[in-house]
Each structure stands twice: as C-alpha cells, then as structure tokens.
Amino acid sequence: MPSLPDLRLYLVLGAADTGNRPFEEVALQAAEGGVTAVQLRDKHMPARDQVAHAKRLKALLAPRGVAVLVNDRVDVARAADADGVHLGQTDLHPADARRLVGDSMVIGTSVHNTAEADAVDVESVDYIGLGPVATTSTKADAEPAIGVEGVQRLRERVGLPAVAIGGVTASTAPALAATGVAGLAVISAICGADDPAAAAGALRTAFEAAPVTG
C-alpha cells in the first residue's frame, strides 16, 4: 500500500468555497499556516479544468510537503499525478479504484454510519473520513451529524486512520483529537476565514495540543 500522507489538517475546497478568492491562493495560504493535505472537490467543474487545477495545486503544494488529493474522480487524480483520491459512497468502489491506481496513490472513503463502517474494504482503503461531526451548510446533501462520540465509535469500528469532517472548528478540535483521529478535515473554517493561514494555524495548534487516547 502507498505511504499515507500527513492528515493532521486536511483542507477540502473547490471554486465555490472561497468566494472571490482564487482557491489555489487560499490553499497556498492555508499550507503556510499548517495545512498538511488538500483535497480538490468541485463536482461541477469539467474534468479538463479539474486536471488543470489539480496540477496547479500539486505544483504549489508539493514543494511544501503538502499532499494533493482529488474528490471522486480517479481519472482526474491519475492525469494530475495527485497523491490520492477520496471516494464517496456512490463513487467508484475502492477495490476498482485500487485496480486502476495500484500503489501509486492513497485511497480514502467517507463513512457516516455503522453500516458504511462495516462495509469499508480495508484491503483497498488507506484512510476514512468520518462525519459530519456537526450540522454544516457546506454540503447540501450532508448526512445527519454524528457528534464527537460518533466519530470515536466509527473510528474504532473500522480501525483505519481517520479524519473528522463536517462543522469542525478550533473549539471542537481538542475533543476530536482525543478520539484518536489522525486529523481534522475542514472547509469553511479555513475557506471562510479572512486569514486562511491564521485559521489553519489555530486549528493545528488546537488539535496538536490535545491529549490523544486510543
């Protein structure tokens, strides 16, 4: 299996998430503040544009040691030489994705409940995204919030490295860190901030200062 990137602070973003600011600019500022991985997620962007933006993110972030992943699209991830792909419950099955990418990139998948946790293909998946932690307006079709307790329960059930996502803030970071997750996945907490670098720094500090259990 490929080496897992640093998941401590995992930024998810697309063109619609950063307002009037270019999202590559926000990603770069966030990386300077402490983001360790960036996922390009833009379901409405044409594939050719996704490839171009993913390549741009890779050029900006790879020299800083920040991994670049692509949401949903294995073809885009391969074309852009991304570090990984993140698959939702209705996307390509992780086993099929693994056959396409081999060990060239990491594969993540989203888990929202016990049934999905039990169905995770641990032979094909490298990490899981757990949530939403809290109610969020960022994702229109978001599942019901599972809370900190749900994050811990599902992480322990699957046993893979996990990031908590959905309504994550610096104030909830310590409690999430205590569940044993590998990191925090955020959108609005950084993309909606006036200073993405400062917001990223606050999240990293809050996460890393908390005692980790289990």
Side-chain angles (χ1 to χ4, degrees):
M1 299 289 275
S3 298
L4 194 68
D6 187 341
L7 299 175
R8 281 176 294 173
L9 189 53
Y10 184 128
L11 174 63
V12 181
L13 83 171
D17 297 312
T18 57
N20 296 323
R21 297 175 293 183
F23 65 86
E24 289 99 340
E25 177 183 311
V26 172
L28 183 58
Q29 291 177 18
E32 292 171 350
V35 157
T36 57
V38 171
Q39 179 194 133
L40 173 62
R41 186 180 77 179
D42 197 320
K43 296 179 183 295
H44 303 295
M45 184 184 293
R48 185 174 295 186
D49 293 341
Q50 285 193 50
V51 172
H53 284 294
K55 286 182 175 179
R56 174 67 174 155
L57 284 172
K58 187 76 183 288
L60 288 170
L61 300 177
R64 293 166 170 80
V66 176
V68 174
L69 301 94
V70 174
N71 181 259
D72 295 353
R73 300 291 298 266
V74 176
D75 56 340
V76 170
R78 291 184 68 186
D81 193 26
D83 299 292
V85 62
H86 188 89
L87 304 171
Q89 290 295 318
T90 60
D91 297 325
L92 194 66
H93 192 282
D96 294 322
R98 181 59 69 198
R99 281 191 286 272
L100 290 173
V101 305
D103 290 335
S104 65
M105 63 180 65
V106 298
I107 295 175
T109 193
S110 299
V111 173
H112 311 97
N113 53 52
T114 299
E116 292 175 0
D118 291 344
V120 172
D121 179 359
V122 296
E123 298 300 319
S124 302
V125 172
D126 300 294
Y127 77 93
I128 53 175
L130 299 175
V133 178
T135 302
T136 174
S137 60
T138 305
K139 195 169 185 286
D141 58 347
E143 299 283 337
I146 63 173
V148 174
E149 297 79 8
V151 169
Q152 181 160 8
R153 183 178 66 254
L154 294 178
R155 183 195 68 78
E156 292 173 348
R157 195 174 188 98
V158 179
L160 289 175
V163 293
I165 187 170
V168 173
T169 65
S171 64
T172 58
L176 289 167
T179 69
V181 294
L184 308 176
V186 299
I187 304 173
S188 58
I190 290 177
C191 291
D194 292 334
D195 187 337
L203 283 157
R204 270 284 296 270
T205 298
F207 182 73
E208 294 177 351
V212 177
T213 62

